[in-house]
Amino acid sequence: MATAEKMPMLVEGQRKLEADLSRLKAERPEVIDSIEEARAHGDLSENAEYHAAKERQGQIEAMIADIEDRLSRALVIDPTTLSGDKIVFGATVTLIDEDDKPIRYQIVGQTEADAKAGMISYNSPLGRALIGRKVGEDIEVTVPSGDRYYKVDGIEFI
């Protein structure tokens, strides 16, 4: 029997998933009411409201199942409890790019990743290249836009 792979995530990621789950569960009764109301209109074969409500119900149930699965496999990590001189999940890393500009990223789970907000997945090309590295190391990473070069300038656990 296969064991489910744990999904590392930060506390904030877990909270966001729990909030999404609560919102979806609260929406369930509203959709059921919409289905009942649309049923009352008669012929279901050409009832667009009924079909839209049934489709939304299916979407909600699928999203609830997905979130519950992720939460059941969550390995919640608090970066403030970590330390060390190597980059690990949860670390906030300062890099110097090819133009000598500093860039900061936090290594996070797949569901939390948002590069524009400075949060990259540990599974992304850059995330994989950073894991295990130390301050002063040079990194070459192949991304869709081409090869990029960075130098690790700092590691924080905040």
Side-chain angles (χ1 to χ4, degrees):
M1 175 153 68
T3 58
E5 183 180 331
K6 288 290 186 185
M7 290 186 70
M9 67 178 64
L10 301 177
V11 175
E12 295 84 21
Q14 180 187 33
R15 285 189 193 128
K16 183 184 178 309
L17 285 177
E18 288 170 344
D20 290 348
L21 183 61
S22 294
R23 182 185 50 77
L24 289 168
K25 285 185 174 182
E27 191 177 338
R28 265 179 174 162
E30 296 169 19
V31 172
I32 291 170
D33 289 345
S34 297
I35 291 170
E36 292 303 317
E37 185 179 320
R39 258 195 196 136
H41 294 162
D43 184 17
L44 298 181
S45 65
E46 294 184 20
N47 189 328
E49 292 170 358
Y50 173 78
H51 293 290
K54 286 295 282 184
E55 185 175 325
R56 180 64 185 148
Q57 182 184 35
Q59 291 170 340
I60 288 171
E61 294 305 323
M63 290 189 300
I64 286 173
D66 180 55
I67 292 171
E68 286 177 338
D69 174 60
R70 286 194 239 167
L71 286 171
S72 72
R73 296 184 299 127
L75 175 62
V76 181
I77 296 171
D78 180 358
T80 61
T81 64
L82 304 173
S83 63
D85 62 347
K86 287 186 179 181
I87 299 171
V88 296
F89 182 93
T92 300
V93 183
T94 303
L95 304 172
I96 303 297
D97 70 7
E98 298 160 339
D99 301 322
D100 289 331
K101 292 181 187 169
I103 305 169
R104 281 175 59 104
Y105 289 117
Q106 184 173 25
I107 311 294
V108 298
Q110 293 168 309
T111 59
E112 303 164 286
D114 180 358
K116 290 179 180 155
M119 302 173 84
I120 60 169
S121 169
Y122 68 97
N123 270 343
S124 68
L126 182 56
R128 285 194 310 268
L130 289 171
I131 297 290
R133 301 299 183 114
K134 295 181 178 185
V135 172
E137 287 192 46
D138 293 322
I139 296 166
E140 176 183 351
V141 108
T142 302
V143 293
S145 61
D147 289 345
R148 303 287 308 201
Y149 300 90
Y150 300 97
K151 183 175 188 123
V152 179
D153 194 47
I155 304 169
E156 299 173 87
F157 298 97
I158 50 175

